[in-house]
Amino acid sequence: MTDAPDPGAGGIRDYYDVEFHFHGNEPPPDVMSSRNTPPRQVADEQLSRLQRRFARPMGINDAYDTLERHNIVFLYGTPGNGRTTAARVLLRELPRGSGVYHELTPDAYDQSAEPLTPELIGEGDRMLLDLSDAEEDVWTQCHNRFPGFHKILLDKRSFLAVVLPPAHADGLSPDFAAYRRVVNRPDDLEVIARHLRLRGVDPGDSGQAPKELTDYLSDKPPMRELAYLAGIIVDARRTAKPEESFADWCRQAIAAAEEEEDDFVPPLRNGPQRALLLSVAMLHGAPADLVHRAAAILRRSLRIAGDDRPLLEHESLTERLREVGASRNDEARVHFDKLRYDHAVRRFFWRNMPDLRRPLRDWVEQVLALPQFPEEGRKDLVVRLAALCALTEDADRLAEPARDWALRYDDPARLRAAAEWLGWGVRNEDERTSRHFRHAIYTWAIRPAEPNLRRVLVDVCVNVMAFTHPEQAVVRLHHLARREPLDEVSGKNAARHVLLRLVEMDTRLRRYLLFRLALAPPRRNGRQQAVDAWLFLGLLTMPSRPEHVLLQSPSARLWLLMCWSDVLRSFSSRSWLPHLQRWITTTDAADDPELVHLALDVLVDAAAENYPALRQIYLTARKSLSAEKTEWLLSRIEEAQHRRPPLRADPGKEIRT
């Protein structure tokens, strides 16, 4: 038999040193101060923040009662009313037991399990299925599975909130029409007030809102625009004069938001001034020296003539910044004097000067490599460029710049920028954009990739997608691990090590990875089979004893049997014997006789056609198990041999890796 890559019986921690970061649109929760914080814990903290800023609309309590009483609810309403947010809050408000919250994503293209797969539902899980943008075929597929899935929900005391697509809100079968509830629009002023309070701003009596704010709200903007406006109000308050009130902050915020529209035109027409203006807009909040160097690079790339006077006769940086409406603060960082002016400037140049788009992207690539660029500034620059590209480019092409950077550059700054670009797309509030980015990452993960691109994809999967779409992160990391060169076993950020590190912190993800190792997708060669064996043995080395958790599920026991059978049949005992010994030792320490029998059943059934493996199981058990358990194991082995005569391994069919 051939040796599989072996993580060792002592555990997988010695093989990697991976740090998780959180890159979200909001400040990371306090729980992320620990590098070992599970993504599920961060997701729960995000749900808690969402709940605190949620303005309850009329009728939401009826939807909660339906969900609690029947374990399922179907939500519909006008797009922009906060249907998905309402679903998340309802699930958050349910009594929490042993289950976890997770979102089911109907993306069939990545060969992951169907979103309504009963075997992957845990006891007491709280699930969201967002079908608000679902196509006809996805809706039909999910709708046909609701009856059987609802029975699973009742049996496992789990809960499902479904956000219906507008085109099919009236298309529920009669069995589920009674569980449909409307999500009404909440009070707009209350929405803004809650966002402000969560950010430390007391709006006072929101009933005395200025006319500009009530006029703005009369158009019924989507909930995400209200959240955006609240952010501008916070900025206005931060730069306000002592005598200004909440009403003044609102007026300034609305004026700033309106100035971002297409009719904005900067008053400057001089080339050097516009180069500095655009540089400040793209690097807003960056150190002044960096803005100065970046503006010089932009002038050269656009062939804008510089000042040919002697150096001492040039205008100072302070004077030039003042000409474009900017200044330096006490920390020598550059800001425009007008609120949100940087947004208006960026949008103007991008929308109205199409020939500038490619040079601006090339300029960003050069600026990212500047040594004095602080890390947080690099992220801001990447996100700003990505947001501009989203204004004019198709969603299915938005991910390409990140791939280009990863393939063309080798410096850490631009590789990190590529990861930031993909991370921005994955967590994008526009589900269509996020879906395209996740699809692009999947497409690159299933093909052999250059080392730098592989590093970027691993980074995005573990530091972004694991928090937003954890099951899809597992899918992509699994594909990356299968295509990783086997000589990178000791690599610090190898996909297989990161994948095990990720699932170690979440029982549901361990179960999901086991499902994939047993059933999907099919292996294409011996190397991929070796990687899957390595991953399975890695699961068994985890200190949390996943086999104890998984043995309680008939489906998971079948997956364990299939994986054990694959390992015992395909690889030498030198690879799997330490893990077999640990399995049996752990089994002997169990107090539950039923658990002991289930654990031994898995081993015997996995080796039923493999006489050498059965013999090794028995010899190992004699050294570790009590006499009573050993006798029971021997009877099971005899029963398996009688039921299915063992076949000796054929050396000609050994897998070479």
Side-chain angles (χ1 to χ4, degrees):
M1 291 297 182
T2 310
D3 290 342
D6 188 359
I12 59 175
R13 289 186 180 276
D14 295 337
Y15 285 78
Y16 57 79
D17 184 16
V18 180
E19 183 170 357
F20 292 92
H21 306 274
F22 182 73
H23 306 294
N25 293 325
E26 297 181 352
D30 293 339
V31 295
M32 285 308 294
S33 58
S34 170
R35 59 177 289 179
N36 293 319
T37 303
R40 297 288 185 192
Q41 187 174 341
V42 177
D44 283 343
E45 177 62 20
Q46 289 180 299
L47 281 177
S48 177
R49 290 172 59 86
L50 184 66
Q51 184 181 15
R52 291 196 297 272
R53 67 170 181 255
F54 181 67
R56 302 186 70 82
M58 184 181 303
I60 195 66
N61 292 341
D62 185 27
Y64 175 85
D65 293 340
T66 301
L67 178 61
E68 184 184 37
R69 186 177 302 117
H70 302 287
N71 299 74
I72 195 168
V73 68
F74 297 88
L75 302 178
Y76 72 101
T78 304
N81 275 7
R83 296 162 297 163
T84 304
T85 297
R88 292 188 176 111
V89 171
L90 290 177
L91 292 166
R92 168 72 181 180
E93 292 176 342
L94 289 169
R96 277 169 283 169
S98 59
V100 298
Y101 169 83
H102 53 100
E103 299 186 6
L104 309 177
T105 307
D107 286 340
Y109 59 76
D110 63 2
Q111 297 182 25
S112 58
E114 294 182 5
L116 300 180
T117 301
E119 293 82 2
L120 295 175
I121 303 306
E123 190 80 17
D125 281 1
R126 294 161 288 126
M127 296 161 285
L128 167 65
L129 178 61
D130 186 358
L131 298 176
S132 56
D133 296 322
E135 301 291 342
E136 177 78 27
D137 56 340
V138 174
W139 160 252
T140 301
Q141 178 188 20
C142 291
H143 184 268
N144 292 340
R145 293 178 65 91
F146 285 148
F149 196 76
H150 187 216
K151 184 180 184 304
I152 299 295
L153 294 175
L154 297 173
D155 292 342
K156 295 191 174 184
R157 295 185 294 276
S158 299
F159 301 89
L160 175 67
V162 182
V163 181
L164 294 173
H168 301 283
D170 297 323
L172 275 174
S173 66
D175 293 337
F176 293 103
Y179 306 146
R180 191 182 66 149
R181 295 293 182 269
V182 64
V183 176
N184 296 298
R185 185 178 180 86
D187 182 78
D188 293 338
L189 290 175
E190 177 63 17
V191 171
I192 291 179
R194 282 183 172 267
H195 277 282
L196 293 176
R197 292 192 187 101
L198 196 61
R199 303 185 189 192
V201 177
D202 184 5
D205 185 1
S206 58
Q208 298 179 356
K211 182 177 183 301
E212 291 87 346
L213 180 58
T214 55
D215 289 345
Y216 176 85
L217 298 178
S218 65
D219 292 334
K220 303 298 181 184
M223 293 295 107
R224 61 178 176 271
E225 290 189 15
L226 297 186
Y228 180 69
L229 180 64
I232 306 180
I233 294 174
V234 172
D235 289 345
R237 183 246 194 185
R238 188 180 301 120
T239 58
K241 299 176 182 177
E243 65 273 11
E244 292 180 336
S245 65
F246 173 71
D248 295 317
W249 308 338
C250 290
R251 294 187 188 98
Q252 295 170 20
I254 293 171
E258 291 175 347
E259 196 167 27
E260 294 182 29
E261 299 302 322
D262 293 341
D263 56 357
F264 165 80
V265 178
L268 304 172
R269 302 198 64 83
N270 179 273
Q273 288 181 326
R274 282 198 161 186
L276 181 59
L277 177 72
L278 184 53
S279 298
V280 173
M282 294 296 295
L283 299 170
H284 201 246
D289 287 354
L290 177 63
V291 174
H292 169 73
R293 289 198 60 185
I297 294 173
L298 184 59
R299 286 200 311 270
R300 287 196 298 269
S301 63
L302 297 179
R303 299 180 182 179
I304 298 174
D307 194 338
D308 57 0
R309 293 177 298 173
L311 186 59
L312 289 177
E313 296 182 19
H314 290 189
E315 291 179 312
S316 68
L317 179 59
T318 300
E319 292 176 301
R320 290 187 288 121
L321 288 174
R322 188 182 301 117
E323 291 174 353
V324 300
S327 59
R328 284 182 285 196
N329 60 15
D330 295 338
E331 298 176 346
R333 294 181 177 270
V334 176
H335 296 267
F336 281 120
D337 300 329
K338 295 177 64 176
L339 187 65
R340 294 289 173 119
Y341 193 67
D342 58 312
H343 291 247
V345 170
R346 290 196 297 268
R347 290 170 64 96
F348 169 80
F349 282 108
W350 189 266
R351 284 189 176 277
N352 294 283
M353 295 187 175
D355 294 338
L356 183 63
R357 293 169 189 167
R358 182 66 210 196
L360 187 61
R361 178 176 147 182
D362 295 340
W363 170 79
V364 167
E365 294 179 20
Q366 297 179 62
V367 172
L368 286 170
L370 293 177
Q372 70 269 42
F373 208 154
E375 188 61 36
E376 68 275 10
R378 285 194 177 97
K379 177 182 176 181
D380 290 339
L381 179 59
V382 169
V383 169
R384 287 163 184 166
L385 179 62
L388 291 176
C389 291
L391 295 175
T392 55
E393 294 187 14
D394 294 335
D396 57 358
R397 298 177 53 196
L398 276 178
E400 291 299 326
R403 181 175 179 273
D404 292 345
W405 290 352
L407 295 178
R408 290 168 49 201
Y409 298 110
D410 198 37
D411 59 286
R414 282 181 282 203
L415 292 180
R416 186 65 195 159
E420 294 289 1
W421 186 289
L422 293 178
W424 169 86
V426 168
R427 62 179 178 267
N428 198 284
E429 63 182 13
D430 179 8
E431 173 57 24
R432 180 171 174 268
T433 298
S434 176
R435 189 184 307 121
H436 279 293
F437 270 81
R438 301 193 313 265
H439 185 23
I441 293 171
Y442 174 80
T443 301
W444 301 331
I446 64 175
R447 302 169 182 169
E450 295 295 323
N452 285 343
L453 178 59
R454 215 164 44 235
R455 293 190 193 101
V456 168
L457 297 179
V458 169
D459 183 289
V460 175
C461 286
V462 75
N463 287 321
V464 181
M465 199 178 295
F467 297 91
T468 59
H469 302 80
E471 285 80 10
Q472 292 192 22
V474 169
V475 170
R476 286 147 183 78
L477 287 171
H478 186 195
H479 282 296
L480 286 166
R482 281 184 162 188
R483 288 156 181 81
E484 222 166 27
L486 286 178
D487 60 359
E488 289 190 8
V489 169
S490 60
K492 190 172 182 180
N493 282 326
R496 67 200 73 167
H497 298 199
V498 174
L499 176 55
L500 286 174
R501 177 69 179 87
L502 174 61
V503 302
E504 180 184 13
M505 298 189 291
D506 191 315
T507 301
R508 171 176 165 76
L509 294 185
R510 269 178 279 165
R511 180 185 176 92
Y512 185 62
L513 178 58
L514 180 63
F515 162 80
R516 288 185 56 80
L517 295 176
L519 297 177
R523 304 182 185 95
R524 295 178 181 174
N525 53 51
R527 186 182 68 175
Q528 293 181 4
Q529 186 174 1
V531 171
D532 282 3
W534 192 99
L535 289 170
F536 173 65
L537 296 179
L539 282 175
L540 301 185
T541 64
M542 292 180 179
S544 55
R545 298 178 181 176
E547 60 269 25
H548 278 204
V549 177
L550 298 170
L551 282 170
Q552 299 171 2
S553 164
S555 299
R557 287 199 301 273
L558 174 61
W559 305 335
L560 286 168
L561 187 157
M562 295 172 68
C563 289
W564 264 122
S565 178
D566 195 26
V567 168
L568 296 174
R569 182 181 65 253
S570 305
F571 303 104
S572 71
S573 61
R574 187 163 64 90
S575 294
W576 50 257
L577 185 57
H579 305 279
L580 174 67
Q581 292 170 338
R582 180 183 181 277
W583 182 284
I584 292 178
T585 302
T586 304
T587 301
D588 188 59
D591 298 327
D592 185 352
E594 182 182 2
L595 184 64
V596 171
H597 292 169
L598 291 175
L600 296 179
D601 277 345
V602 166
L603 289 181
V604 172
D605 290 341
E609 297 184 1
N610 187 339
Y611 180 79
L614 277 175
R615 180 176 180 275
Q616 188 64 66
I617 290 171
Y618 179 67
L619 292 176
T620 304
R622 286 185 59 183
K623 299 177 182 179
S624 303
L625 289 179
S626 65
E628 180 183 357
K629 294 175 182 176
T630 303
E631 186 66 25
W632 187 90
L633 174 64
L634 180 59
S635 67
R636 279 289 292 113
I637 291 176
E638 292 175 347
E639 178 186 339
Q641 290 177 317
H642 178 74
R643 185 177 65 248
R644 184 182 300 171
L647 300 177
R648 295 182 180 273
D650 182 357
K653 295 184 179 180
E654 291 180 2
I655 294 177
R656 306 287 179 184
T657 61

